[in-house]
Amino acid sequence: MKYYIIAGEASGDLHGSNLMKALKQKDPNAEFRFWGGDLMKTQGGTLVKHYRDLAFMGFLEVVMNLRTILNNIKFCKEDIQKNRPDVLILVDYPGFNLRIARFAKELGIKVVYYISPQLWAWKEGRVEIIKKYVDEMMVILPFEEDFYRKHGVHSHFVGHPLLDAISDLPEINIENFKSEHGLNEKEIIALLPGSREQEVEKMLEIMLSVRPYFKDYQFVIAGAPSLPKEFYQKYVDDNVHFVSNKTYDLLRCSKAALVTSGTATLETALLNIPEVVCYRGSKISYAIAKRLVKNINYISLVNLIMDREVVKELIQNDLNTQNLVEELNKIIDGDKRTQVLNDYSLLREKLGGKGASDHAAEVILKV
């Protein structure tokens, strides 16, 4: 079959690549055309556009880049019409993907959504679009199945694909990792500032402000594959290092982590590293988000899945040096660290076992 996949962010690239791998095992003659990134590219097929050209953060940023976004949508529609895939697979990224779903469905192409948009947080009305234009909805969070059932939409809970990605990791030697990347003997505090340039600049400044209070540790920035190494050089010094495309290895060698809100918060938890979740957007974007997001008490996937505070979230004005230092000290040693690690075990149980990509591939082939 001919598969057309659209993933607009780094996390979508990861999940999309694992799905492609599973599809190839079940359909050896599969042909892929996709919007994604370097991980999907390793699975073969044709990369139409890289997600680095698609990702815009916040409401204000979207407005400022509206012309680019609209041009991308127009180009995507033309490309689908020209190549006529058997199935369109959409990976999260709802603002873009829901527009494409309608277009593809009207062309008679089967539409599958893998990794639901977070409609339970905001824009719940988009469920009606999914009802009309999506043939199969696959969800990766346990409570999402109930959400769709409430709206009369059948969905498949396939499990979380991160469990697959993490369970396949080989053993790692911390000393070898430090030596390979020019790190010293101190324990590591990992910094995960995000994947978009404007986001990284905003987050790294505040994350690095805690350095004077943790002189017995070295800080290591997890570089995003979408950004060049040169971008990070202004932040590097004798006790601040940079590692590119090795985020999972870095986390597994770390004592604790400061993590920008997003999929990385769940990845960090599943790798069993205590973390502080950080978020700060522009004042305008944050004000709009507060008005639109409803019935949600947390921003991190860890806390949302557990429906209680497992990891500390420092948002907007609460994200300051004093609070970061206080919360980081709690998870480096003591009762709080023990509690977080115990809660991570419960989190893994709640997400179910391995096999999300495999289950998703089965659903797609049945379509």
Side-chain angles (χ1 to χ4, degrees):
M1 293 205 322
K2 291 165 66 178
Y3 304 86
Y4 199 105
I5 308 174
I6 305 175
E9 297 171 303
S11 59
D13 181 36
L14 171 65
H15 302 323
S17 67
N18 286 328
L19 178 62
M20 289 166 74
K21 184 178 179 182
L23 283 167
K24 285 195 297 183
Q25 289 171 351
K26 298 177 186 300
D27 181 6
N29 296 317
E31 294 180 21
F32 296 107
R33 192 171 180 84
F34 57 92
W35 296 44
D38 298 336
L39 294 175
M40 293 173 74
K41 197 173 180 181
T42 62
Q43 295 300 321
T46 303
L47 174 62
V48 181
K49 263 190 189 288
H50 200 288
Y51 68 79
R52 73 168 70 95
D53 301 321
L54 307 174
F56 300 103
M57 175 192 169
F59 299 95
L60 186 61
E61 292 79 7
V62 167
V63 171
M64 291 170 64
N65 291 280
L66 194 56
R67 178 176 290 181
T68 300
I69 294 168
L70 293 174
N71 284 338
N72 283 336
I73 290 170
K74 181 174 181 286
F75 174 74
C76 185
K77 289 178 177 179
E78 290 170 351
D79 196 54
I80 289 172
Q81 191 160 22
K82 179 181 175 183
N83 289 279
R84 288 282 176 163
D86 295 302
V87 61
L88 171 67
I89 304 168
L90 306 170
V91 185
D92 199 2
Y93 198 50
F96 188 96
N97 276 340
L98 287 175
R99 290 174 180 240
I100 303 302
R102 177 175 181 169
F103 175 79
K105 185 68 176 174
E106 289 172 349
L107 285 180
I109 297 168
K110 290 289 186 182
V111 179
V112 174
Y113 220 119
Y114 178 49
I115 305 180
S116 167
Q118 295 177 351
L119 305 185
W120 34 267
W122 68 307
K123 293 197 174 180
E124 195 168 329
R126 283 177 165 176
V127 172
E128 296 304 315
I129 301 174
I130 285 168
K131 262 186 185 177
K132 287 178 73 173
Y133 303 116
V134 174
D135 294 292
E136 294 288 344
M137 169 58 74
M138 293 180 286
V139 300
I140 63 172
L141 300 174
F143 58 82
E144 290 179 324
E145 228 177 0
D146 292 334
F147 169 81
Y148 279 109
R149 190 180 297 115
K150 183 182 77 175
H151 288 281
V153 176
H154 176 68
S155 64
H156 304 263
F157 173 59
V158 296
H160 205 292
L162 281 180
L163 291 168
D164 292 348
I166 286 167
S167 66
D168 291 339
L169 294 173
E171 295 251 345
I172 191 164
N173 181 294
I174 295 177
E175 296 310 314
N176 288 348
F177 178 83
K178 287 180 177 178
S179 175
E180 181 184 345
H181 295 284
L183 308 179
N184 58 47
E185 72 286 350
K186 293 179 181 178
E187 288 193 288
I188 296 170
I189 295 175
L191 305 180
L192 278 64
S195 59
R196 305 177 183 98
E197 185 173 329
Q198 57 195 354
E199 178 181 50
V200 172
E201 288 181 333
K202 192 175 292 183
M203 300 309 300
L204 270 182
E205 183 179 354
I206 182 63
M207 287 178 172
L208 287 170
S209 71
V210 306
R211 281 184 300 166
Y213 303 90
F214 296 93
K215 292 181 178 177
D216 294 333
Y217 295 85
Q218 59 184 320
F219 292 82
V220 184
I221 301 166
S226 55
L227 296 174
K229 292 181 180 180
E230 296 75 26
F231 171 79
Y232 294 93
Q233 289 310 307
K234 58 188 172 187
Y235 301 104
V236 174
D237 59 31
D238 291 342
N239 208 36
V240 178
H241 307 274
F242 162 77
V243 172
S244 182
N245 294 327
K246 295 283 184 181
T247 301
Y248 284 3
D249 288 351
L250 169 61
L251 283 169
R252 290 191 291 160
C253 295
S254 299
K255 181 76 171 181
L258 302 181
V259 185
T260 298
S261 176
T263 304
T265 62
L266 184 57
E267 292 172 308
T268 303
L270 293 177
L271 289 167
N272 224 33
I273 306 302
E275 64 184 305
V276 180
V277 176
C278 309
Y279 177 78
R280 182 184 287 171
S282 70
K283 289 182 179 179
I284 294 174
S285 293
Y286 183 69
I288 295 171
K290 278 196 74 173
R291 293 177 67 89
L292 292 177
V293 175
K294 57 183 180 178
N295 304 321
I296 298 297
N297 297 320
Y298 307 105
I299 64 167
S300 70
L301 284 171
V302 178
N303 292 343
L304 283 166
I305 294 165
M306 295 296 286
D307 198 25
R308 59 185 173 88
E309 185 182 271
V310 170
V311 294
K312 185 66 179 179
E313 299 177 353
L314 296 178
I315 306 169
Q316 216 63 4
N317 293 334
D318 288 336
L319 180 60
N320 56 54
T321 304
Q322 181 181 343
N323 287 343
L324 273 176
V325 170
E326 183 180 334
E327 297 303 328
L328 194 49
N329 272 318
K330 287 179 185 177
I331 61 171
I332 280 177
D333 200 15
D335 293 343
K336 175 66 174 177
R337 181 180 179 86
T338 303
Q339 182 61 56
V340 167
L341 292 175
N342 288 339
D343 285 339
Y344 283 173
S345 296
L346 299 174
L347 172 72
R348 283 189 286 275
E349 287 179 25
K350 204 162 188 177
L351 285 173
K354 291 170 53 179
S357 304
D358 205 50
H359 295 155
E362 287 175 5
V363 173
I364 292 165
L365 286 169
K366 284 178 183 175
V367 171

